[in-house]
Structure formats: C-alpha cells, structure tokens
Amino acid sequence: MRVLILGGGVIGVCSAWYLSRAGHQVTVVERQAETAMETSFANAGQVSPGYAAPWAAPGVPKKAVTWLMQKHGPLRIDPITFFTPSLQKWVWSMLLQCNAEAYAHNKSRMVTLAEYSRDCLRELRSELDLAYDQRSAGTLQLFRKRKQLNASRQDVEVLSKSGVEYEVLDADGCVNAEPGLHRVVDKIVGGLRLPGDETGDCFLFTKCLAEKARQSGVRFVFGQHIDRIEIDKGAVQGVEVGGERMQADKYLLATGSYSTALARSIGIKLPIYPVKGYSLTVPVVDDSSAPQSTIMDETYKVAITRLGDRIRVGGTAELTGFNLSLRERRTDTLNFVVNDLFADGGDQSQARYWTGLRPMTPDGVPIIGQTRFDNLYINSGHGTLGWTMAAGSGRLIADLMCECKTSIDASLYQAHLA
C-alpha cells in the first residue's frame, strides 16, 4: 500500500514509522526544510500521561477571567481575534465541556491514549536505541495554594480509576522529589507526583526517528507546500504539492493547526484551533539548583523541564489565530517562574525563546481516524500533549489504516469525525 502523509512533525513522523514498519510504501510531505521545525521544535519536553487533562474543566470560565487580569496569567485572548466566528465557536464548544461529567470522560480518554503512547515510546527507545535527552523521573505538579491541592482530588479519582500511579506530597515531599526546590519550600503547600512520566527533547526524538524511517524506506519531501487535495468519486485522487500531483492509495492529514483549513477545503469541519504557546531554553549552570525532571507550576500553568544540560520552560496560552510573534510580556512570565523556583539553576543571559501553535480541540481529545472519504485519515488536534501522545497516536492510526486490530479503543478518538 502506498501512503502519503501530509505533515512532518512528531505526529506525522511517528505515523510514518509505524506504517513503514508494517511494510507499506510511505512518503511524508513537509513544508519546512526538515522535520519537527514547528510545534514539535521547542515544546515543554514533557511525556506526561498522568498530567493529561482537558483545559475544559469545572471552574475554568471563572478562572479564565482572573487569568486575563493577572500580570503573569497563563491566558491571553486577542480582542480583535476573539470576534472571529471560528474562535467564538471553538470557545463556546469548550465552555460546554466545563462540567464534572465531561471533564472526567475526556480526561479518561486522554489518559488512556497517553499511557499507551508512553509504552509505545519505551518500546521504540529500546528497539531503536534513540537518544533524545530522555529521563524517566516523573512529573511534579506543584501547588502554591491550598485550594489547588484540594482541587487535585478530582484528578486523583480519575488517575485511580485509570490505574495510573501517583503520590500526593506535602511541601517537604516535593523537595525530596525535586531537591532544587529546597530554597523555596515556604512557597509550596504540596504537590501531585506522577512517577511514571518522562521527559525528553521532542525535536531530537523526531529527527532520530525520521532518520530511522528514512533508512527503512520512507521518502521525505521537504520545503513544499500543500496546494490542493483533489477529491473525486468520494475519495482522494491526489494531492498537489509544489506544482506536482502526488498520488497514493491512502492519505493521512497530520498538519497540526493547519489541518483545519486543509480539511475545510474538501468539506470536512475539524474543531481544531491554534493555541499559541511559548518556551525558553537555558543552559544548566548549577545542577543542585536545577530541576531533575518536570515541574508543573499549577499557579502559572508553566512547565519547567530538565533536558540533558539544558532547562526548558514552556507555557502560557494565547488565542491570537496564527500569529507567531514573540510577545515580551509572555516571555517575562516564563522568566519569572523559572527564576522564582530555580533562580541559580540556569544561565538566563543565554536564554533562547520560541513560540509555536498547539492544535487544540474544545474537549482536549485528539482526532484520530478515518474521514467520510474512505482513503483519507486524520491524526491531529493533540493540543499541548502532542509529544506525550505521539508514539501511541502514530501506532493507532497505522493500525487503522492497515485495518488491523488496535490495542486501545479507537472509537474514543473519532467523535469529531462523525
């Protein structure tokens, strides 16, 4: 079977690997000069199944108003962009999911895929000897306020039902898990530790896996834009790429936030909106004052992750369409949080900043499955968890395209394709 994959980020490359391993002829089209140059390039570095949760949660509408008024709030909405129909529809759909029943259901679906994906990632690492600054030291969700610790009980219930290992910690327990926090123990009321989580550089991983895929026969076409998807007789007949018509037996759309426009051009409505996130990366200068794994500061929704000899700080959410400009106020928030918790750990004078677009669905659950066109499939909408869910999503879509039995219930990720 010939397969054409549109998109060369971590989702597209993982899909390509599993399809190639199944014996198929795979071509990946990517508009950038190499793989993982957009959303996969400098994300927070977390592989966090236990932390997988939808943004749509009880109390979020009220919190969002507060966040918008805070200096270092995790949310910003561009006033002009807010009045566009696409964003208003997406926000309204998200608000409808902000109840306890929907939250528990959506989190369960996300955790199921994320846990499966982590297991797939471990298999890949063992099989292929991939090096990407990986660590298996867990995630620490850090609470500065007592009400945050109390609110975590709802997450603990879902984690328990899903069989995910966790530890509820007091302030001293947080310091034992992350010794670099010893100077700020007075700012901590507790934490939720997820020992099964991992960290790693998504960009390095994607490059390594792409090279393995290339060695196994996958063809990569770089620097080419997707001009048009040609539909006829209820199926995709070809894709125009940089003036060339490319054909295959089956097609996979894995272009992240840009999947929405491509799908819309052929009459498919995907509820995916680009949510801009930021990161900074600094070199470690004092190991004893640096994080050892990932800390998620629940107050500011900022993740601080150890990647080899670097510290990656990622977070904030901007609803500003496809605007990729770096706003100083947003980067100030990342600087503030890492300095507040790990002031001596990294060299801020060497900070490198980045921004990217996370493809978010209103309920937080990615879209993985077959469209109404028999030979067109979607693997997109992973939001902030693309790295966490990449390997499992790639294997799941490969099994679906090969018409093989899947290891998890694929119908959980096809609601938006109905």
Side-chain angles (χ1 to χ4, degrees):
M1 179 174 70
R2 296 172 304 157
V3 179
L4 180 61
I5 297 177
L6 308 180
V10 68
I11 300 297
V13 170
C14 284
S15 303
W17 169 258
Y18 284 109
L19 283 162
S20 176
R21 193 176 71 172
H24 303 295
Q25 182 182 333
V26 181
T27 299
V28 178
V29 176
E30 167 57 43
R31 67 178 182 174
Q32 299 295 340
E34 59 178 303
T35 57
M37 291 302 293
E38 296 194 34
T39 304
S40 304
F41 181 70
N43 59 30
Q46 301 165 265
V47 178
S48 302
Y51 191 71
W55 287 13
V60 162
K62 183 178 178 180
K63 290 179 182 178
V65 175
T66 303
W67 291 335
L68 289 169
M69 299 172 64
Q70 291 176 343
K71 178 181 179 181
H72 292 300
L75 176 66
R76 175 181 177 266
I77 302 177
D78 177 70
I80 297 176
T81 305
F82 180 72
F83 291 100
T84 59
S86 60
L87 179 54
Q88 290 204 334
K89 182 178 181 180
W90 187 89
V91 169
W92 177 248
S93 297
M94 179 182 174
L95 291 175
L96 291 176
Q97 299 288 321
C98 292
N99 59 78
E101 183 179 357
Y103 177 81
H105 175 61
N106 294 332
K107 181 176 176 65
S108 177
R109 290 191 288 164
M110 295 170 73
V111 169
T112 296
L113 177 59
E115 288 271 301
Y116 173 61
S117 186
R118 184 200 54 211
D119 293 343
C120 291
L121 178 62
R122 288 173 174 173
E123 290 177 6
L124 283 176
R125 190 166 65 235
S126 175
E127 176 187 351
L128 302 176
D129 192 27
L130 302 174
Y132 53 94
D133 285 337
Q134 178 271 337
R135 293 189 178 204
S136 301
T139 294
L140 175 62
Q141 189 176 0
L142 196 69
F143 305 125
R144 297 173 185 252
K145 302 174 183 178
R146 180 64 56 181
K147 63 181 181 180
Q148 294 170 341
L149 182 59
N150 294 337
S152 70
R153 292 171 184 167
Q154 186 176 25
D155 284 337
V156 165
E157 290 179 7
V158 177
L159 293 173
S160 296
K161 291 179 181 178
S162 302
V164 179
E165 186 180 358
Y166 66 87
E167 301 171 356
V168 178
L169 305 175
D170 59 13
D172 290 335
C174 291
V175 174
N176 287 335
E178 283 287 351
L181 294 170
H182 68 279
R183 297 179 184 176
V184 294
V185 64
D186 58 314
K187 299 180 181 182
I188 304 168
V189 301
L192 177 63
R193 183 168 179 266
L194 304 159
D197 287 2
E198 301 184 355
T199 60
D201 189 321
C202 181
F203 172 69
L204 291 179
F205 169 84
T206 308
K207 285 193 67 174
C208 290
L209 187 60
E211 180 56 33
K212 298 291 185 181
R214 186 180 291 106
Q215 293 171 8
S216 72
V218 175
R219 177 191 174 208
F220 287 88
V221 178
F222 293 116
Q224 298 293 333
H225 285 263
I226 300 158
D227 300 319
R228 187 171 75 94
I229 300 175
E230 179 187 336
I231 300 291
D232 189 33
K233 299 178 182 178
V236 178
Q237 301 299 324
V239 178
E240 290 187 10
V241 178
E244 177 188 355
R245 186 170 183 263
M246 303 182 71
Q247 291 183 291
D249 301 305
K250 291 187 178 181
Y251 302 80
L252 176 62
L253 185 57
T255 50
S257 297
Y258 299 92
S259 299
T260 306
L262 283 169
R264 188 191 307 121
S265 71
I266 54 175
I268 297 174
K269 296 180 180 179
L270 298 179
I272 296 173
Y273 192 83
V275 178
K276 184 164 72 170
Y278 291 75
S279 78
L280 69 84
T281 307
V282 297
V284 173
V285 292
D286 181 358
D287 187 72
S288 66
S289 299
Q292 298 305 306
S293 190
T294 289
I295 295 88
M296 171 56 73
D297 190 327
E298 186 62 22
T299 299
Y300 301 101
K301 302 294 184 182
V302 168
I304 306 172
T305 301
R306 181 66 172 268
L307 298 176
D309 59 358
R310 300 164 294 153
I311 300 172
R312 172 74 50 77
V313 187
T316 80
E318 283 193 353
L319 302 178
T320 58
F322 289 86
N323 182 344
L324 280 167
S325 61
L326 276 166
R327 288 172 49 85
E328 186 175 349
R329 184 173 178 179
R330 298 294 103 190
T331 57
D332 283 349
T333 296
L334 302 184
N335 281 305
F336 165 76
V337 174
V338 70
N339 282 323
D340 193 49
L341 296 178
F342 299 99
D344 301 320
D347 183 355
Q348 291 295 113
S349 68
Q350 297 187 52
R352 291 181 285 115
Y353 299 95
W354 171 87
T355 185
L357 302 175
R358 310 156 172 139
M360 297 283 294
T361 61
D363 58 12
V365 182
I367 303 169
I368 306 170
Q370 186 179 32
T371 70
R372 70 171 183 269
F373 303 114
D374 289 344
N375 63 344
L376 177 63
Y377 294 74
I378 303 287
N379 195 358
S380 190
H382 297 76
T384 59
L385 295 164
W387 177 207
T388 295
M389 296 179 171
S393 297
R395 185 168 180 176
L396 180 61
I397 198 65
D399 286 342
L400 289 171
M401 295 178 76
C402 298
E403 300 180 12
C404 299
K405 182 180 179 180
T406 61
S407 298
I408 59 174
D409 185 358
S411 67
L412 297 174
Y413 312 100
Q414 297 171 8
H416 293 303
L417 291 171

